[in-house]
Structure formats: C-alpha cells, structure tokens
C-alpha cells in the first residue's frame, strides 16, 4: 500500500529570479508546480511511497511535469491525459510587496476531472487534497466531495486537507462554506491564519480551532511567527518559525504540509511533525521554483529521532 496519494492539478510555472520583473525578462525558467504535486514531491524526498493523481494536457508541458515527478520518485500510475485540453500554466512576478501570480488555467485538462476519476486511485494510508481543486470546476468540486464523503481510500486511511484559498479562483462568499465543510470532514487540516481570517473572520489560532473542532489534527500556520498544532484531547503545541533568508515564498506551505504528513505517517512525536514541516518549508523559501530542494537526510533523521530538541510550548 502506498503511503499517500495526492490528487489535484499540476501546472507549469514560469519564473524569473528576484529582483527581476516579468516585463523586463528576456527568458523565464520553467518548473513543475501545483499544491498537491508539491506535497507528493516533498513526501517522496523524505522517503515516502507516494503517488500524484491528476489530468494533464496532450502537450510538451505535460511531459515536463511527468519527467519531474518520476525523477523525484513520485508514482504517476494514475495520471490521465487529455489531448483536447491544455496543461495549466502560471507565471510568478516578483515585486517589492511580494510575488504576483498570473494564472492561465481556465479550461485545463485538470478542470475536467470528475468523480469517475477516483476509480483509478490506488489504496494508500493517506489521501491529500486541497481547497484549490473544488474551485477549478463543478465536476472537480463533485470529485473532492465524493472523495471526502466516501472515504475512497478505505477505512482507517488518513484524509489530509489543506485549505489553500485562492482568491483568483473564487470569492470568499463562494469558498468559505465549501472549504469549511471540507475541513471539518478531514482528519488532518492545514490552514494559514491569514486565510482563515479572510474566510471565516477568525483572529487567533484558538478561534480557528473553535470553528473547526472535528479534525483529529489541525495545524494553523502564522507565517514568520510559527505554527500551532491542535490534537484532540491534548494541549496545543506551538513551534516558532526558524529564521530564514526568504528568496520566494510560493510553495513553502506545500513543503510544510509534506513534512507534517511524513511525521504523522511515521508516528513521530507531534512536535516533530512541526519541526519537520518548518525544515521543509525553509528549503522551499530559499528556492525560486515551487518545489523545495532535496532535504539533508542526516538532518531529517535527527529531527525524526528528536535529537534536535525542538522548542515547543503550550498555547
């Protein structure tokens, strides 16, 4: 059985190194991108047996994505191809106020996924989804709801859900109830404090937990401040974000999710989940691409064994 299956849209991202801007660039670098495939690549880098499931167009971009996934050790047995639709593309434009993202994904092959796509998803210990996929199309929303309601991977599997609100895809009024319902149905939930404030007007991590009491594990991320983990019937654990020289923030949340999910699947102590998440995120923050550089296996081993003595505190 696989450790995890991650379902969603993979895209090609074009980027230029900061401080250059897209309008001044003579060339761009192409990378594999997409929240769920980022998590799959992160899990594979940590030694997990993981598959990415999604649909790609019949174009060279699809080939690039598949090559990157396979070279990263990700199982691609459940990928479908649609020659009548494009692979999604987006571009990142560094600015003084952060990175502006421009999407070209309307009508993509991934947006044509529906509940029937789940029939080819293999058994796994965990299924990872994000709030991006239900915003792609009505059929994608039906697929995610079917996966969540039907627990398609079987009894005992972990349902992991990253809220990942994207205002470019849908409004707060449309997204808030849907993402709240999906999060409440999951076992492990990730959300940023900022997006929770936008969606549900929650001011603190404790407010988010009060809003989402059902998940067995809830992780509330607060950027450079830290992350708070809520487990049922246990006091919350907070771990500050380690200092890092940020090059590009896009993809860090996915790397963080991969670290936490790996720690959970390997039955490490909960504070270790957060430390491994922070470590994976720090690697992504120093990279221009969406996916993080390969982690240092010795550092991962030390974190998993608790030898790095993470500083945690109840909140």
């Amino acid at each position: 059985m696989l450790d995890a299956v991650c379902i969603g849209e993979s895209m090609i991202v074009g980027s230029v190194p900061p401080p250059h801007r897209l309008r001044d660039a003579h060339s761009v670098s192409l990378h594999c991108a997409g929240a769920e495939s980022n998590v799959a690549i992160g899990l594979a880098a940590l030694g997990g047996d993981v598959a990415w499931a999604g649909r790609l167009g019949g174009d060279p971009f699809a080939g690039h994505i598949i090559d990157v996934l396979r070279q990263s050790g990700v199982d691609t047995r459940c990928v479908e191809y649609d020659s009548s639709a494009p692979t999604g593309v987006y571009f990142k434009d560094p600015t003084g106020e952060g990175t502006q993202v421009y999407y070209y994904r309307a009508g993509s092959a991934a947006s044509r996924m529906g509940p029937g796509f789940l029939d080819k998803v293999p058994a796994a210990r965990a299924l990872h989804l994000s709030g991006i996929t239900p915003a792609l199309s009505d059929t994608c929303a039906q697929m995610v709801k079917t996966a969540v309601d039907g627990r398609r991977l079987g009894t005992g599997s972990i349902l992991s859900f990253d809220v990942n609100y994207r205002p470019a895809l849908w409004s707060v009024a449309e997204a808030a109830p849907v993402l709240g319902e999906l999060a409440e149905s999951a076992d492990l939930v990730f959300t940023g404090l900022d997006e929770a404030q936008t969606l549900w007007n929650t001011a603190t991590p404790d407010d988010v937990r009060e809003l989402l009491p059902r998940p067995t594990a809830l992780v509330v991320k607060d950027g450079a401040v830290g992350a708070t983990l809520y487990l049922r019937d246990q006091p919350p654990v907070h771990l500050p974000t380690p200092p890092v020289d940020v090059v590009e923030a896009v993809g860090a949340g996915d790397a963080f999710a991969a670290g936490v999910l790996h720690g959970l699947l390997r039955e490490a102590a909960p504070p270790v989940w957060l430390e491994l998440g922070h470590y994976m995120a720090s690697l992504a923050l120093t990279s221009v691409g969406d996916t993080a550089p390969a982690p240092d296996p010795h550092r991962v081993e030390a974190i998993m064994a608790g030898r790095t003595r993470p500083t945690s505190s109840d909140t």
Side-chain angles (χ1 to χ4, degrees), residues 24-104:
D24 303 317
H26 297 289
S27 62
V28 297
S29 298
L30 299 182
H31 305 273
C32 174
E36 298 81 8
S37 55
N38 288 346
V39 173
I41 289 172
L43 284 169
L46 289 165
D49 189 6
V50 56
W52 173 75
R55 298 185 92 226
L56 298 171
D59 49 40
F61 292 146
H64 180 88
I65 289 170
I66 287 297
D67 288 345
V68 169
L69 290 171
R70 289 175 177 168
Q71 291 164 10
S72 300
V74 176
D75 188 320
T76 58
R77 76 179 81 168
C78 18
V79 176
E80 288 184 349
Y81 300 90
D82 185 346
S83 60
S84 65
T87 301
V89 176
Y90 77 96
F91 293 89
K92 296 191 292 188
D93 188 21
T95 73
E97 292 75 41
T99 299
Q100 181 69 44
V101 176
Y102 297 92
Y103 290 104
Y104 302 90

Side-chain angles (χ1 to χ4, degrees), residues 41-47 276 279-280 283 292-300:
I41 289 172
L43 284 169
L46 289 165
L276 189 56
Y279 172 58
M280 294 296 288
L283 296 176
D296 179 349
H298 300 293
R299 176 72 181 276
V300 172

Side-chain angles (χ1 to χ4, degrees), residues 185-202:
S185 301
D187 303 305
L188 170 63
V189 176
F190 300 91
T191 186
L193 182 59
D194 54 349
E195 68 183 348
Q197 290 171 337
T198 298
L199 289 167
W200 306 304
N201 296 314
T202 49

Side-chain angles (χ1 to χ4, degrees), residues 36-292:
E36 298 81 8
S37 55
N38 288 346
V39 173
I41 289 172
L43 284 169
L46 289 165
D49 189 6
V50 56
W52 173 75
R55 298 185 92 226
L56 298 171
D59 49 40
F61 292 146
H64 180 88
I65 289 170
I66 287 297
D67 288 345
V68 169
L69 290 171
R70 289 175 177 168
Q71 291 164 10
S72 300
V74 176
D75 188 320
T76 58
R77 76 179 81 168
C78 18
V79 176
E80 288 184 349
Y81 300 90
D82 185 346
S83 60
S84 65
T87 301
V89 176
Y90 77 96
F91 293 89
K92 296 191 292 188
D93 188 21
T95 73
E97 292 75 41
T99 299
Q100 181 69 44
V101 176
Y102 297 92
Y103 290 104
Y104 302 90
R105 70 198 306 177
S108 68
S111 71
R112 298 183 178 185
M113 289 188 292
F117 179 79
L118 297 172
D119 293 340
K120 69 186 306 175
V121 176
R125 296 174 59 207
L127 171 63
H128 181 76
L129 302 165
S130 89
I132 297 172
T133 307
L136 298 179
S137 66
D138 289 342
T139 57
C140 281
Q142 293 165 12
M143 178 187 71
V144 172
K145 183 171 176 55
T146 300
V148 170
D149 291 348
R151 296 289 180 152
R152 292 298 294 261
L153 297 193
T155 303
S157 65
I158 297 166
L159 177 59
S160 172
F161 181 73
D162 193 334
V163 171
N164 254 335
Y165 171 58
R166 294 291 188 269
L169 295 177
W170 51 352
S171 69
V172 169
E174 294 173 305
V178 174
L179 296 179
E181 180 181 351
L182 292 172
E184 273 286 81
S185 301
D187 303 305
L188 170 63
V189 176
F190 300 91
T191 186
L193 182 59
D194 54 349
E195 68 183 348
Q197 290 171 337
T198 298
L199 289 167
W200 306 304
N201 296 314
T202 49
T204 68
D206 285 348
D207 292 339
V208 181
R209 183 52 165 174
E210 184 176 353
L211 179 78
L212 302 173
R214 291 177 57 187
T216 303
L218 168 68
V219 181
V220 182
K221 303 168 292 180
D222 189 9
V225 175
T228 305
L229 169 64
Y230 294 86
L231 291 171
R232 192 174 296 161
D233 301 324
Q234 296 185 35
V237 175
H238 176 80
L239 193 66
T241 302
V244 60
D245 294 326
V246 177
V247 173
E248 167 58 60
V250 177
D254 305 325
F256 182 92
V260 171
L261 188 52
H262 181 78
L264 187 158
L265 290 171
R266 294 296 180 267
E267 300 181 353
V272 171
W273 306 358
L274 294 182
E275 188 179 15
L276 189 56
H278 279 317
Y279 172 58
M280 294 296 288
S282 72
L283 296 176
L285 289 167
T286 61
S287 172
V288 173
D290 263 32
T291 54

